[in-house]
């Protein structure tokens, strides 16, 4: 049994949950508290890598005039624009959901292939494995994106990122930084239709983590949180 104390009771949670008969609530406790999911991404069979896999949540900051050159990932990735403006170009399948309008969620549509898109705060884009993508900040203020990725982690796993064309130099990547918010390895993953959800939830003093059978990653934002590992 291990006991740990996490510091600096708000948590960001990324979860991969298998769907049975449609989308089901991911965390009832969070909905009772009145918090809506930050991200909900629907994945089709085969779009998740085979376990074991890395499940990673991160925040990407792009300074003005910075660029992430064309590259691919062997697993799905989402980007939610938190601030600023990001210009994205994809070569392959990607799903785009614009920011809610008057509280109403917008329909998910396929992003145009090989055509630059302008993404603003609240816009969400999901890249399926193997889709080539590049994004840049042509604005005058930094752009920030909340991102998540699921990557193969087996002994023969491929690189998590492959550049298309020439390897970029350090100067090419200057101004793009990533802060890892949570990182773990899932030993099991769903194989059918799947919903990948990120929520920000707040726990009252003394409240326990809710029980779940889903693949879950917690990242502490602020406060003091104790937990005990009893098995697994």
């Amino acid at each position: 049994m291990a006991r740990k104390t996490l510091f600096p009771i708000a948590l960001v949670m990324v979860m991969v949950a298998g769907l049975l008969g449609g989308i089901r609530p991911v965390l009832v406790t969070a909905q009772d508290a009145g918090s809506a999911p930050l991200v909900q991404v629907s994945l089709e069979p085969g779009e998740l890598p085979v376990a074991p896999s890395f499940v990673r949540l991160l925040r990407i900051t792009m300074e003005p005039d910075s660029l992430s050159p064309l590259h691919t990932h062997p697993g799905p990735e989402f980007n939610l624009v938190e601030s600023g403006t990001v210009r994205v170009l994809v070569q392959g399948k990607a799903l785009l959901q614009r920011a809610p309008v008057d509280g109403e969620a917008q329909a998910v549509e396929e992003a145009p292939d090989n055509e630059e898109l302008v993404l603003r705060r609240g816009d969400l884009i999901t890249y399926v494995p193997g889709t080539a993508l590049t994004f840049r900040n042509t604005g005058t203020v930094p752009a920030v994106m909340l991102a998540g990725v699921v990557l193969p982690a087996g002994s023969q796993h491929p690189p998590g990122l492959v550049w298309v064309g020439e390897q970029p130099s350090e100067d090419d990547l200057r101004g793009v930084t990533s802060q890892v918010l949570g990182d773990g390895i899932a030993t099991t993953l769903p194989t059918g239709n799947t919903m990948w959800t990120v929520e920000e939830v707040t726990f009252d003093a003394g409240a326990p983590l809710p029980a779940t059978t889903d693949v879950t990653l917690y990242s502490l934002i602020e406060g003091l949180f104790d937990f005990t590992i009893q098995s697994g």
Side-chain angles (χ1 to χ4, degrees), residues 14-178:
V14 57
M15 177 180 296
V16 183
L19 297 182
L20 297 175
I23 299 173
R24 59 187 174 85
V26 177
L27 188 63
V28 176
T29 303
Q31 294 175 346
D32 289 345
S35 77
L38 299 175
V39 174
Q40 282 193 320
V41 172
S42 181
L43 300 174
E44 297 180 357
E47 291 182 345
L48 275 177
V50 176
S53 292
F54 298 107
V55 179
R56 184 171 299 151
L57 183 69
L58 60 155
R59 179 165 282 117
I60 301 172
T61 301
M62 305 183 67
E63 298 298 328
D65 298 322
S66 64
L67 166 74
S68 180
L70 196 66
H71 62 277
T72 65
H73 297 289
E77 177 184 4
F78 76 79
N79 292 158
L80 172 69
V81 179
E82 293 184 310
S83 63
T85 301
V86 180
R87 293 180 179 270
V88 176
L89 184 143
V90 299
Q91 295 177 350
K93 181 181 177 181
L95 300 176
L96 174 66
Q97 186 175 25
R98 294 293 185 180
V101 176
D102 296 329
E104 293 291 330
Q106 301 301 291
V108 178
E109 59 188 41
E110 283 207 22
D113 185 71
N114 211 31
E115 178 182 323
E116 194 170 61
L117 296 167
V118 178
L119 304 185
R120 297 179 174 85
R121 181 180 179 182
D123 290 343
L124 171 68
I125 190 166
T126 304
Y127 313 100
V128 304
T131 290
L133 62 127
T134 177
F135 47 84
R136 61 194 181 108
N137 178 6
T138 59
T140 58
V141 298
V144 180
M145 297 186 295
L146 182 68
V149 64
V150 182
L151 301 171
S155 59
Q156 302 297 319
H157 70 82
L161 181 150
V162 175
W163 300 110
V164 178
E166 295 183 0
Q167 176 82 15
S169 66
E170 289 188 10
D171 285 341
D172 293 331
L173 300 174
R174 196 177 305 278
V176 181
T177 57
S178 297

